[in-house]
Amino acid sequence: MAISTALTSLLTSITELIQSLFSGIYSIFHTIFSAFFGLFFGLFAFVGDLFKGIANTLGGVGSFVASNFLIIALISAAGFAYVRYTSQGATQGQKAASVGRKKIN
């Protein structure tokens, strides 16, 4: 009885050894394929996120300019009016305006 139990135990050990070898080989290939496909699909996710980030940044700059357009226009108009009326007002008050060779004042 002891010999048959020993042989059964030996055969069970050998089958478990073969199963563990196949399981190890499967897990190695599965890990390699998972890493490859993870890298491949991760690259697509990275490119998509990159373009989303660029579009978001450009949209932020565009909304900043659009929201401040009125303020920029008012400051520009005030600066233009200041330069225009200070330079022409001083010279027009001192000299008589002439059209061609005829004096108006």
Side-chain angles (χ1 to χ4, degrees), residues 4-14:
S4 66
T5 306
L7 286 176
T8 306
S9 179
L10 179 66
L11 290 175
T12 305
S13 296
I14 291 174

Side-chain angles (χ1 to χ4, degrees), residues 2-53:
I3 295 179
S4 66
T5 306
L7 286 176
T8 306
S9 179
L10 179 66
L11 290 175
T12 305
S13 296
I14 291 174
T15 56
E16 288 177 356
L17 175 68
I18 292 171
Q19 285 178 351
S20 80
L21 283 174
F22 283 124
S23 175
I25 291 170
Y26 169 75
S27 102
I28 289 171
F29 281 118
H30 183 266
T31 305
I32 290 171
F33 285 132
S34 294
F36 175 73
F37 286 122
L39 180 67
F40 184 70
F41 291 121
L43 181 65
F44 283 124
F46 167 71
V47 170
D49 288 342
L50 179 70
F51 284 123
K52 281 182 189 176

